[in-house]
Amino acid sequence: MAKLMLVVLGALVAMAAAKQFEKCELVRELRKQGFPESEMRDWVCLVEKESGFRTDAIGKLNGDGSWDHGLFQVNDRYWCTRDGPAGLECNLSCAALRTDDITAAATCVKKIFARHGFGGWTAWKAHCQGAKPDISKC
Ligand SMILES: *[C@@H]1O[C@H](CO)[C@@H](O)[C@H](O)[C@H]1NC(C)=O
């Protein structure tokens, strides 16, 4: 019984580990990670539309059989490994893109951005080219 309780408790702790950012909390974190102020509202919009601000988000199965991971919904066809050791373009396991510490994810998305700009993200193209979130109070 005690053992079962520990398992249940462990599961609850694991669930609680997933983080959902508040808007301004995300802005502060992105500033800390060195994202430029000129891109800030686009990143906040992108994160909101891609993952709902959740670090542990996994998207729907894509048409090509790939999945998207974490706050920035990074695709596992090119950027991270779904199974096995860290690899692909970001040299990361996709699980490393779903942690509450977003340092690795930030480095990875800067690489994606350098190559594709915001146009690399479907949700940004669909929702973030016009009105963007107000972060003037952050
Ligand atoms: C990839 O990351 C691992 C550590 O996870 C490191 O040992 C390896 O050198 C890295 N490979 C490249 C090509 O950067």
Side-chain angles (χ1 to χ4, degrees):
M1 192 60 187
K3 197 170 173 184
L4 178 65
M5 285 302 287
L6 275 178
V7 169
V8 170
L9 210 72
L12 286 173
V13 169
M15 281 163 64
K19 182 172 176 60
Q20 178 157 21
F21 278 92
E22 302 292 340
K23 183 173 69 175
C24 286
E25 186 186 15
L26 178 67
V27 170
R28 283 193 299 274
E29 180 63 29
L30 294 179
R31 282 176 180 148
K32 206 173 92 187
Q33 298 286 347
F35 287 83
E37 209 56 35
S38 58
E39 297 169 4
M40 201 56 75
R41 295 168 73 213
D42 288 278
W43 285 112
V44 173
C45 182
L46 182 155
V47 166
E48 178 177 8
K49 301 301 181 188
E50 288 285 358
S51 66
F53 296 112
R54 290 189 64 86
T55 56
D56 67 339
I58 300 183
K60 295 198 303 279
L61 179 64
N62 295 312
D64 63 0
S66 65
W67 298 83
D68 299 327
H69 302 266
L71 201 61
F72 304 92
Q73 291 290 278
V74 171
N75 189 270
D76 62 23
R77 184 167 182 189
Y78 305 108
W79 304 101
C80 61
T81 48
R82 205 182 311 165
D83 307 297
L88 299 194
E89 295 282 334
C90 285
N91 193 25
L92 290 171
S93 75
C94 300
L97 295 170
R98 301 192 305 261
T99 59
D100 290 354
D101 181 345
I102 70 161
T103 306
T107 304
C108 180
V109 297
K110 283 174 191 170
K111 188 167 191 175
I112 298 173
F113 183 80
R115 213 168 295 172
H116 301 289
F118 288 116
W121 282 269
T122 312
W124 182 88
K125 284 194 283 190
H127 304 288
C128 302
Q129 300 193 70
K132 298 180 213 302
D134 176 12
I135 59 166
S136 59
K137 296 197 172 63
C138 297

